[in-house]
Amino acid sequence: MASPPLHPPHLLLSSSSLLLILSTVFFSFSHLSLASDHPEPQYSFQELLQAARNPDFFDWVISIRRRIHQNPELAFEEFETSALVRTQLDELGIEYLWPVAKTGVVGSVGSGSGPRFAIRADMDALPLQELVDWEYKSKKKGKMHACGHDVHTAMLLGAAKLLQQRKDKLKGTVKLVFQPAEEGHAGAYFMLQEGVLDDVQAIFGMHIEPYLPTGTIACRPGPVLAASARFVALITGVGGHAASPHKAADPVLAASFTILSLQQIVSRESDPLDARVVSVSFIKAGDAHNVIPESVTFGGTFRSLTTEGIVYLTKRIKEIIEMQSAVHRCTASVDFMEKKLIPYPPTVNDQQMYTHVKMVGESLVGKDKFQASILAMGAEDFGFYSQRMPSALIQLGTQNETLAPTHMLHSPFLFVDEQAIPVGAAMYAAVAMSYLERNSAEL
Ligand SMILES: *[C@@H]1O[C@H](CO)[C@@H](O)[C@H](O)[C@H]1NC(C)=O
Ligand SMILES: [Zn+2]
Ligand SMILES: [Zn+2]
């Protein structure tokens, strides 16, 4: 999710159901509005944003973010982050389930009945040395919140506070999902496995976006991020003296042909309008000039915006590696590592959820600051939620070049404009409150 945004596309506001949804929200929100004769919901969303920007609130939420930033923990090791989350929920008087998927926490705010809506943050950091010199730099050597999950966690706690302060106005229950292990380890999958979101109707998530200015939100309906999987191939031949190749079966040559052939799955077998990627990112073979090695190992990642695409790529990667190896008198095996590192499904934003989020986002930050996000072939374990229930994942701008130059996610130089945090906290809360409002009204 590290690409510059496009300009908003022409919007597809033709359906009458959209009008119905909007009028329901406008109507049902009017009682929350301080200007009660005003038919628009903006004021109550603005009230959430103002509350999040209140200096006391801001200082509190920023201090949480900085504490998490200074103490980054890797996937499934988020013990102290999880403890911090629970301490804050305790102080807010919010009940929660824990441990879920080892370090995960699921809080509940609201009536306990009516519709149930989830808002999600991930808590894990990356094995990366922070190279930004600032007061709240990571205190852990070789670990950094370089994907903004510290910001996500702080914003969700911010939303928890906003919602708890307004719990009498909630028309249902909001589940606060603090999950472990987004980075490669499918934390979302394990949260779902524990059944803690079985009763939830829909879910909303956010990711910071360093190429979008602070105060801006981007979203789009349909696929937003790719399904992603990995493979490792082992090609075995017969080693020998490099001066007598005829007495060997050369796995280096077999691997070379195989890697080239793999590139033709996308270029020759896939619809050019259906984005797919096959990248071989490492190769290991031999260590002498005059020895043909016994075997070669290589591997990489493959991606598609659809589950069918990933299934097809999996099948063809295996066939091509095995068959090209056979052409060169070698044998091959392919490991898709599914047991250890579960492949991620595509992240697909539900059309109705998108419409809802757009309405809230435009009210909160202004129409001109709600943009269309661009598609990218990155992956997110949010895809596991989106596979299970209507969902939307948005991008939240954190760029401010007055403060720091722009660097992409996973960069050791990533620097987040903390002014984005109240926007994110208010957005989480506003999307959840109005979703419950809308869905209880429709019952
Ligand atoms: C960027 O940060 C500066 C300094 O805090 C601030 O004055 C400015 O308004 C910020 N810009 C945006 C777009 O938020
Ligand atoms: Zn990441
Ligand atoms: Zn991330």
Side-chain angles (χ1 to χ4, degrees):
M1 310 230 318
S3 319
L6 288 180
H7 297 294
H10 299 294
L11 295 163
L12 311 160
L13 294 181
S14 57
S15 87
S16 56
S17 64
L18 174 63
L19 288 176
L20 183 66
I21 289 163
L22 283 174
S23 60
T24 307
V25 175
F26 276 56
F27 169 75
S28 55
F29 251 78
S30 57
H31 80 277
L32 277 179
S33 168
L34 295 187
S36 58
D37 54 350
H38 207 269
E40 296 182 351
Q42 276 87 337
Y43 193 80
S44 54
F45 293 143
Q46 284 306 313
E47 186 266 325
L48 282 168
L49 186 55
Q50 276 161 23
R53 282 177 169 158
N54 168 285
D56 287 343
F57 188 99
F58 183 76
D59 291 347
W60 167 77
V61 75
I62 294 313
S63 78
I64 289 173
R65 185 266 161 158
R66 290 175 176 175
R67 273 154 66 195
I68 301 173
H69 189 82
Q70 285 183 304
N71 187 25
E73 297 175 295
L74 303 183
F76 287 124
E77 296 172 2
E78 308 89 341
F79 300 109
E80 288 167 30
T81 309
S82 172
L84 182 151
V85 165
R86 282 177 277 125
T87 303
Q88 293 300 328
L89 294 177
D90 284 336
E91 282 178 15
L92 293 169
I94 294 174
E95 288 180 11
Y96 53 82
L97 294 171
W98 168 82
V100 185
K102 201 164 180 180
T103 58
V105 182
V106 179
S108 288
V109 191
S111 64
S113 60
R116 288 163 203 275
F117 185 77
I119 44 183
R120 168 272 200 174
D122 38 15
M123 302 189 289
D124 56 322
L126 286 159
L128 200 72
Q129 176 61 46
E130 176 162 10
L131 296 178
V132 188
D133 244 330
W134 69 303
E135 198 180 343
Y136 302 98
K137 182 177 181 166
S138 168
K139 285 183 173 166
K140 286 196 176 153
K141 210 171 159 215
K143 294 178 189 176
M144 178 189 178
H145 271 290
C147 202
H149 300 183
D150 53 337
V151 174
H152 305 163
T153 302
M155 292 190 306
L156 192 57
L157 281 169
K161 187 169 194 161
L162 294 171
L163 291 167
Q164 181 70 345
Q165 287 167 343
R166 291 158 184 77
K167 67 173 193 282
D168 298 339
K169 290 175 177 162
L170 293 181
K171 297 280 190 279
T173 304
V174 182
K175 294 231 176 172
L176 310 159
V177 180
F178 297 89
Q179 70 151 82
E182 191 287 318
E183 298 289 356
H185 291 268
Y189 171 85
F190 293 99
M191 295 292 285
L192 285 164
Q193 279 243 310
E194 295 202 17
V196 291
L197 299 180
D198 285 357
D199 60 350
V200 163
Q201 271 97 69
I203 189 164
F204 172 65
M206 261 186 260
H207 205 295
I208 66 153
E209 177 45 63
Y211 283 87
L212 270 184
T214 299
T216 310
I217 286 171
C219 188
R220 66 182 290 142
V224 282
L225 289 164
S228 168
R230 306 166 180 83
F231 71 97
V232 179
L234 172 67
I235 298 184
T236 305
V238 178
H241 198 297
S244 306
H246 58 293
K247 291 180 182 163
D250 186 357
V252 173
L253 192 64
S256 305
F257 273 89
T258 304
I259 290 166
L260 289 174
S261 297
L262 288 174
Q263 292 311 308
Q264 285 151 22
I265 308 174
V266 173
S267 73
R268 300 289 84 181
E269 299 179 27
S270 303
D271 183 339
L273 296 176
D274 179 3
R276 293 179 185 179
V277 173
V278 177
S279 288
V280 176
S281 54
F282 68 87
I283 174 163
K284 292 167 190 161
D287 43 26
H289 289 280
N290 55 1
V291 180
I292 293 170
E294 197 73 23
S295 66
V296 175
T297 302
F298 63 89
T301 181
F302 55 104
R303 287 152 192 240
S304 166
L305 292 175
T306 63
T307 303
E308 304 80 71
I310 275 287
V311 169
Y312 182 82
L313 292 176
T314 306
K315 174 174 159 281
R316 289 295 288 148
I317 285 170
K318 185 171 157 57
E319 283 173 2
I320 285 168
I321 292 170
E322 289 175 354
M323 290 178 184
Q324 275 291 351
S325 299
V327 167
H328 297 275
R329 298 174 298 143
C330 296
T331 57
S333 62
V334 188
D335 180 0
F336 290 98
M337 304 173 70
E338 287 136 316
K339 294 264 153 57
K340 239 175 80 193
L341 294 163
I342 299 165
Y344 285 9
T347 296
V348 182
N349 283 343
D350 174 74
Q351 177 66 51
Q352 279 195 321
M353 275 292 289
Y354 167 76
T355 304
H356 176 67
V357 163
K358 179 174 187 293
M359 182 276 294
V360 177
E362 286 185 345
S363 300
L364 202 73
V365 298
K367 271 197 161 69
D368 56 326
K369 290 192 172 133
F370 187 93
Q371 308 186 355
S373 55
I374 63 159
L375 270 168
M377 298 303 277
E380 242 282 348
D381 76 355
F382 195 81
F384 287 105
Y385 303 118
S386 86
Q387 221 177 18
R388 186 73 82 85
M389 64 187 98
S391 73
L393 181 71
I394 63 161
Q395 295 176 312
L396 179 77
T398 58
Q399 180 187 50
N400 186 335
E401 296 205 315
T402 313
L403 297 174
T406 304
H407 291 279
M408 60 165 73
L409 295 173
H410 292 210
S411 161
F413 294 103
L414 179 78
F415 188 82
V416 171
D417 180 3
E418 292 175 325
Q419 298 294 333
I421 293 176
V423 180
M427 184 68 187
Y428 267 135
V431 167
M433 282 185 86
S434 53
Y435 180 92
L436 296 181
E437 190 87 17
R438 187 185 103 191
N439 284 274
S440 63
E442 280 176 358
L443 286 178

